[in-house]
Amino acid sequence: MEHTPEPRIGDAFGRTLRLCWAAGAVPGAAVEIIEREDGHISAGDASRYFTPAEELSALDRTALEAARGRVLDVGAGAGRHALALRARGVDVTGIDPSPGAVEVARQRGVRAETGSIARPPAGIGAFDSLLLLGNNLGLLQGEQAAPRVLEQLAALARPGALLIGTGMDPATSDPEHTAYHDHNRARGRLPGQIRMRVRSGTLATGWFDYLLVGPDGLERLVHRSPWRLESVREQGRNYSAVLRLR
């Protein structure tokens, strides 16, 4: 049997955003491909990363209204949330581990740097509000990693800072997803913990963990962290949450 070659490891997410931006960031311009470790493939229209401020979801708009002071947009992507804040005169900086995403965000007028929660840009300073929007509460990764991630976020925050994020409850009746949830439980992982990578052409990111967790699960994760869960606004399986540095 002929061996199927593995994709090259590279900035697949950035490539997707660059393709979408070059094609006008219109629906259908580019597709984001997500591969889960069990072989499940999902595809989403990459134009969502370019959603204009007036078309953002109600949860996103509520989350952005809570931001104050100097703001850090973590996992900024193409900069849709940072641009919405910038239009209101907010001092906002975006970071993303994808050089391609940062390139696109800068071309769109966002102050953006290559970096991540674990490896922020040198000298970036401290912030009054940190954003984990676009379901980026998933960057908590899982039960074992979350305490470390929350500590790293606290290290980027000023006293009394807000951590504002959106997430998704993993509850579903889809048998492919429920089987994966059961497999996670058998391995001692949270059911909504996803081992995944982004694909684009012959490129793929490295494998990484991303977490889907509901409000109750989020509260358990932050209970012994430097953060206190202040409020939650739910909309179906999706929700926004505001946490405050203790």
Side-chain angles (χ1 to χ4, degrees):
M1 183 178 294
E2 196 171 312
H3 176 67
T4 302
E6 277 288 300
R8 292 183 295 116
I9 302 301
D11 187 13
F13 179 63
R15 181 178 185 272
T16 300
L17 293 189
R18 286 196 302 268
L19 289 171
C20 192
W21 178 237
V26 295
V31 176
E32 181 188 32
I33 304 297
I34 302 294
E35 178 184 4
R36 200 168 63 190
E37 62 178 327
D38 62 345
H40 183 273
I41 302 290
S42 61
D45 197 313
S47 66
R48 70 184 183 277
Y49 291 104
F50 299 84
T51 303
E54 64 273 14
E55 296 178 19
L56 289 171
S57 70
L59 285 178
D60 276 352
R61 292 197 302 272
T62 299
L64 290 172
E65 287 168 4
R68 58 178 177 79
R70 187 169 185 244
V71 178
L72 180 65
D73 185 7
V74 180
R80 67 193 189 273
H81 300 112
L83 281 172
L85 289 175
R86 185 173 175 272
R88 302 204 318 247
V90 175
D91 178 7
V92 56
T93 299
I95 62 170
D96 201 290
S98 162
V102 169
E103 175 190 337
V104 171
R106 286 176 173 173
Q107 289 175 7
R108 302 182 71 217
V110 175
R111 184 196 304 132
E113 301 288 343
T114 303
S116 65
I117 297 170
R119 295 179 179 83
I124 195 168
F127 296 83
D128 301 293
S129 301
L130 293 87
L131 305 182
L132 292 175
L133 302 184
N135 285 328
N136 270 346
L137 285 171
L139 297 176
L140 296 178
Q141 301 179 42
E143 191 168 22
Q144 292 184 342
R148 180 182 71 253
V149 176
L150 290 164
E151 289 279 359
Q152 291 166 338
L153 287 164
L156 293 168
R158 290 172 174 164
L162 299 179
L163 177 59
I164 305 161
T166 53
M168 177 186 288
D169 192 309
T172 178
S173 59
D174 186 316
E176 285 195 1
H177 297 317
T178 56
Y180 185 71
H181 295 171
D182 290 341
H183 180 53
N184 273 337
R185 292 187 184 94
R187 295 184 290 170
R189 292 158 61 97
L190 292 175
Q193 190 170 342
I194 303 169
R195 189 70 175 166
M196 57 181 272
R197 63 182 178 181
V198 180
R199 301 284 299 267
S200 179
T202 60
L203 287 181
T205 65
W207 293 98
F208 61 94
D209 284 318
Y210 194 78
L211 182 64
L212 301 183
V213 63
D216 290 344
L218 176 65
E219 187 166 20
R220 286 192 292 273
L221 288 176
V222 305
H223 178 63
R224 295 183 179 178
S225 80
W227 302 91
R228 180 182 73 253
L229 182 61
E230 249 187 18
S231 64
V232 171
R233 178 175 179 175
E234 298 183 63
Q235 189 175 69
R237 292 173 59 199
N238 299 297
Y239 65 96
S240 62
V242 177
L243 296 82
R244 186 179 296 274
L245 192 61
R246 298 178 193 272

